[in-house]
Amino acid sequence: MPNILVKAPQGAFPGDARANLLRHMTEAAATAEQIPADPKKRFTSWVVMDETEAGMWTCGGIDMTAQVLPCIAIVYVPAGVLDAPSRALYVKLMHDAFSRALPADDQRQLATSVILHDVADGTWGANGAIWTLVDQTKAAGYAHLQHLVAAA
């Protein structure tokens, strides 16, 4: 049940490339978080893309976007969903999502930063209410956490 904020330079993923990136991000999240293929469960995965204007992104204080394509994914996920192996998988799959969606004619070096934030249980609000890990497991269907639902 992630909220994923994607930042990329404006125009780096035009048209179909942008749609592919957002789809690949959703797939990556579902794989890492073990969310089933059920569309109702996948609906809990939100991805928002923010494009940064030319000249507004620097690396080491220098606008390097002509040579390097910097991309950031900030992922908010309920605490308790990810363990160390799933975190490593998440980061790899997010990088792969950027790479797979990159237009073939873009020759810049891809540089990704993926930040995983655990949202403490009892601090995630949805539709005006606090959702616990059990609530989120019911909604997202985390395969590895179904024992929490059964115990509730």
Side-chain angles (χ1 to χ4, degrees), residues 12-139:
F13 296 93
D16 288 345
R18 183 181 315 107
N20 286 335
L21 175 62
L22 300 178
R23 184 174 44 80
H24 294 320
M25 291 276 175
T26 300
E27 291 169 4
T31 298
E33 295 185 36
Q34 299 184 43
I35 299 172
D38 178 347
K40 290 179 183 175
K41 305 297 185 191
R42 296 283 172 99
F43 190 76
T44 64
S45 299
W46 292 14
V47 183
V48 177
M49 181 150 183
D50 181 25
E51 295 183 300
T52 304
E53 291 181 39
M56 298 300 292
W57 195 315
T58 64
C59 299
I62 301 167
D63 182 356
M64 296 292 294
T65 56
Q67 296 86 22
V68 176
L69 178 57
C71 298
I72 297 174
I74 303 168
V75 181
Y76 294 91
V77 63
V81 172
L82 302 176
D83 59 11
S86 61
R87 287 178 190 287
L89 178 62
Y90 221 129
V91 170
K92 179 190 180 317
L93 293 175
M94 285 296 186
H95 175 81
D96 291 350
F98 282 115
S99 184
R100 290 172 58 197
L102 193 62
D105 61 346
D106 193 330
Q107 299 302 308
R108 293 177 287 180
Q109 177 184 345
L110 178 63
T112 63
S113 180
V114 178
I115 303 158
L116 301 173
H117 286 287
D118 288 323
V119 179
D121 198 28
T123 65
W124 192 297
N127 300 323
I130 294 294
W131 282 30
T132 65
L133 183 56
V134 172
D135 298 322
Q136 292 160 328
T137 300
K138 287 177 188 175

